Amino acid sequence: HLVADHIGAETPFRTLEFSCNSHKDNKESIYFDNISWYGTGHLAPSIRDPRKMYQRLFSTQEIDRYRDITDLVLEDARSLQKVLGVSDREKFAEYFDSIRTIEKQMDRLEGMRSELAKVTFEEPPEAYLPRGEYIRLMGDMMVLAFQTDMTRVASFMIGPERWQTPQMYDGVFDLPMNHHEMTHDHNYDQEVALIDRFHVQQFAYMIKKMKSIREGDGTLFDNSMIVFGSGLSDGSKHSYKRLPTIVAGGEKIVRGGRRLTVPEGTPLANLWLTIANQMGVQADRFADSAGTIRELF
């Protein structure tokens, strides 16, 4: 969101938050079911239903509905602002600005209607999708959002943390498997490796998709930077040391084809700060960062 503040002002959506959580029981708290934050304590909720994401991106009815709601809220907001005290007005200004942001978003979407009408992406079915198809479908919509310049920043959560609920990995196992439980038992290292491979295959699919889309003098991938990883390196120990992370992107952006080993104790926030700087954000620190990783670029 720091990056979006810098490069997201001209697109209909400053950011998009995708999640591939297919579960319906909402077992996790909202804080475990999302990975994107507007700021401290301010969660950016993700969309995990492919149909809802499609409607948000391409449905003119959805645009009209947001427009109607936004107009009503702004009208009430203007009336309320007249009767507030000075200190309350300052707090209210933040809320009012957020509503105005939504209104501007709707203006940009309406301005893109003619372009969106050319999109030939079919609305997803309301039916069960095998795990790989589900992830790739959400990935296709994320890539399409980049391609049509609906956003330039997105987060993509493969799945939530599930303590007890097994999940079906179609094409990998014949029965549902409990990924979380297996990561706590090294007797299942081979099975965990198969799931890791499955997830990397989905990542490779998205990269290949981005490389197939022409943009400017190159491809969409050439003009992008994508980070792939997780929060733990060893689930059995809940360790986040030696955290494997992939940074991919065009040759003019990322010096790829290499394995970098940073000094022991380097915070992951160093990577986020480095990426933010590369995207034009002028910041010296982010979270618990202690510097940057300049050899990445």
Side-chain angles (χ1 to χ4, degrees), residues 237-295:
K237 298 178 181 178
H238 283 196
S239 173
Y240 49 85
K241 294 182 178 180
R242 299 184 177 182
L243 191 65
T245 307
I246 296 174
V247 181
E251 293 180 0
K252 295 181 180 179
I253 303 176
V254 179
R255 292 176 57 200
R258 301 174 301 145
R259 177 175 181 245
L260 297 179
T261 301
V262 296
E264 184 78 17
T266 299
L268 183 61
N270 281 20
L271 174 62
W272 303 132
L273 177 62
T274 305
I275 289 172
N277 289 166
Q278 184 74 357
M279 297 300 291
V281 177
Q282 300 299 316
D284 297 324
R285 290 184 59 84
F286 173 72
D288 62 345
S289 66
T292 56
I293 309 173
R294 287 300 166 194
E295 59 266 41

Side-chain angles (χ1 to χ4, degrees), residues 174-227:
D174 294 331
L175 297 172
M177 303 295 282
N178 190 322
H179 185 208
H180 179 274
E181 190 173 279
M182 289 192 299
T183 62
H184 282 261
D185 186 343
H186 284 294
N187 290 319
Y188 288 96
D189 282 353
Q190 290 185 345
E191 287 81 359
V192 171
L194 288 175
I195 295 176
D196 288 344
R197 180 181 177 85
F198 170 81
H199 286 148
V200 172
Q201 286 173 334
Q202 313 316 313
F203 177 67
Y205 168 86
M206 295 182 204
I207 297 295
K208 185 177 180 180
K209 183 96 174 180
M210 295 177 74
K211 286 184 174 182
S212 71
I213 298 171
R214 303 301 303 174
E215 184 178 88
D217 296 332
T219 67
L220 181 61
F221 177 78
D222 292 332
N223 297 316
S224 302
M225 184 159 40
I226 310 100
V227 181

Side-chain angles (χ1 to χ4, degrees), residues 115-154:
E115 290 298 317
L116 294 181
K118 301 176 184 177
V119 174
T120 58
F121 197 95
E122 294 186 4
E123 185 169 355
E126 191 171 1
Y128 170 79
L129 289 172
R131 186 71 183 150
E133 288 186 29
Y134 177 25
I135 295 172
R136 291 191 296 273
L137 173 59
M138 295 297 276
D140 285 342
M141 283 192 281
M142 181 179 70
V143 172
L144 188 57
F146 290 146
Q147 181 183 1
T148 56
D149 206 27
M150 299 188 78
T151 192
R152 295 171 188 172
V153 182

Side-chain angles (χ1 to χ4, degrees), residues 69-86:
I69 294 173
T70 304
D71 287 344
L72 289 173
V73 172
L74 281 173
E75 184 178 341
D76 289 344
R78 293 187 182 96
S79 299
L80 180 60
Q81 195 175 31
K82 297 176 182 177
V83 298
L84 294 176
V86 175

